[in-house]
Amino acid sequence: MGTKYRGFKELNELWKWLAPAVDVFYDHMNADAHYAWHACLATVLHSNDPRRYWWLIEQLLKGMARPAPTAWHQAVRLVSLLANTWRETETRRRICEIAWRSLPKARIETQRVGISTALKNICAIIDANMNNDFKGLPKRFHIEDIDFWLQRFEGNLGETASTRSGASSTRGSETNVALPGAQQLAINELAAKLAEASPSSSNTDLGQNYLRTLLEFLLQYYEDSITCLTPGIISLFPVLLEYANEEDAESMGSYKDMDIKYSASLLIYEYMSGLLLSPKFADQFLNTVIQVAK
């Protein structure tokens, strides 16, 4: 007899051992089994009230927040729950927060793709409920729009290409002027001054993670979303354009690698070049382009 005919006590006993077993299985999953399990979970959860599977969902959310054997397994966990319907907004919020917390450590492309997919799926809910802002629901069911996440990305990007090149020139001139005096310093004092003058490698790595994930997020967004432009995208347009147009010679010594240039160019000249510019954003977008041209 199906579980829908069982009471809470029996279901609780069932899921107490079944949910952890499914969660552990994700640590041993391979690429061949992933598609079948993903389709199975999507079918089960979308054809029924997700509250019936509360135990399983909670266990999978806990699994997302803990370390996985490999970067691939971590990415698979982040996309194991679609949670893209109006009933699952609370679950989607929690998945996005878990993905965002794991972003600073996402040094491998597989991880960044998983994080981007987890964040991008929130757009599916927004597109499917364009006339519903969920404000009438309790706060835990509210979902943030794309501009909220773009602002979080923008706040962690660090320096842009032009800022970095200007700062490098300034540091170079200061070093030349201070060189005679520096000869009188002890070795440890000189090393400390050089460390202060040069950018931190940890900050550089962190900026790379956020920038690459942002580009992957926007590429996925334009693959699936039906909304072309938002104020947040227009605000980021100068930064994206700068990375897309930066010459290879200018990127020497900076943390901008060729994959960043390629992704930014693909986004600007392939995905965004054919966008319909509605009157709502025409003036704002034109002003942004004029500022970039100056």
Side-chain angles (χ1 to χ4, degrees):
M1 187 177 293
T3 56
K4 67 179 180 179
Y5 298 107
R6 302 291 181 176
F8 178 85
K9 184 177 180 180
E10 291 178 281
L11 289 177
N12 191 47
E13 291 297 322
L14 169 67
W15 285 108
K16 278 172 62 176
W17 68 266
L18 182 57
V22 175
D23 179 55
V24 171
F25 175 76
Y26 270 88
D27 285 343
H28 303 278
M29 184 181 293
N30 57 31
D32 295 330
H34 169 241
Y35 177 79
W37 271 89
H38 185 73
C40 175
L41 276 179
T43 302
V44 170
L45 296 178
H46 279 240
S47 60
N48 295 282
D49 188 340
R51 291 175 296 182
R52 293 181 178 272
Y53 304 95
W54 172 82
W55 299 268
L56 177 61
I57 293 173
E58 286 295 323
Q59 190 66 47
L60 292 177
L61 288 172
K62 292 178 183 178
M64 294 179 191
R66 64 176 174 80
T70 66
W72 183 85
H73 287 90
Q74 187 70 52
V76 165
R77 283 186 173 278
L78 289 174
V79 299
S80 59
L81 294 173
L82 285 179
N84 58 2
T85 65
W86 64 270
R87 292 179 174 180
E88 302 168 289
T89 53
E90 181 186 15
T91 302
R92 173 50 50 192
R93 278 174 56 98
R94 295 171 64 184
I95 293 174
C96 289
E97 287 300 330
I98 293 172
W100 184 261
R101 288 197 299 269
S102 63
L103 198 158
K105 299 179 181 179
R107 301 176 182 273
I108 301 176
E109 182 181 5
T110 307
Q111 292 173 291
R112 295 193 293 269
V113 171
I115 293 171
S116 302
T117 304
L119 297 177
K120 182 267 304 179
N121 281 341
I122 203 170
C123 301
I125 303 178
I126 296 175
D127 288 344
N129 298 273
M130 299 187 69
N131 296 322
N132 181 12
D133 57 6
F134 301 99
K135 299 302 182 183
L137 299 176
K139 188 175 181 179
R140 71 177 188 273
F141 295 104
H142 295 181
I143 55 174
E144 296 82 6
D145 58 12
I146 182 176
D147 286 343
F148 171 83
W149 294 104
L150 292 180
Q151 288 175 4
R152 296 184 76 171
F153 273 113
E154 189 173 8
N156 289 277
L157 287 182
E159 299 173 328
T160 61
S162 60
T163 307
R164 289 197 312 275
S165 61
S168 299
S169 301
T170 304
R171 286 194 298 270
S173 61
E174 289 176 351
T175 303
N176 292 334
V177 173
L179 184 58
Q183 295 175 353
Q184 307 300 323
L185 297 175
I187 297 298
N188 57 344
E189 294 176 342
L190 179 59
K193 287 183 175 294
L194 291 175
E196 293 175 358
S198 61
S200 171
S201 60
S202 60
N203 291 337
T204 297
D205 293 339
L206 191 60
Q208 283 184 331
N209 292 342
Y210 282 104
L211 178 57
R212 287 188 168 96
T213 309
L214 169 63
L215 292 171
E216 178 63 32
F217 169 72
L218 288 174
L219 288 172
Q220 291 190 31
Y221 173 79
Y222 279 114
E223 285 280 355
D224 301 330
S225 181
I226 62 176
T227 303
C228 296
L229 291 173
T230 68
I233 294 177
I234 295 177
S235 175
L236 279 171
F237 184 77
V239 178
L240 300 175
L241 191 63
E242 185 176 9
Y243 280 109
N245 293 334
E246 188 178 15
E247 297 295 336
D248 295 341
E250 295 177 0
S251 64
M252 296 299 293
S254 70
Y255 65 76
K256 176 183 169 301
D257 295 329
M258 289 306 299
D259 63 312
I260 297 178
K261 176 181 174 63
Y262 173 78
S263 297
S265 300
L266 181 65
L267 180 64
I268 293 292
Y269 297 113
E270 293 292 335
Y271 286 80
M272 300 183 70
S273 61
L275 294 180
L276 175 63
L277 187 60
S278 63
K280 179 180 178 181
F281 297 110
D283 292 339
Q284 183 181 0
F285 190 79
L286 181 60
N287 292 334
T288 301
V289 173
I290 292 175
Q291 291 177 2
V292 173
K294 292 180 180 180

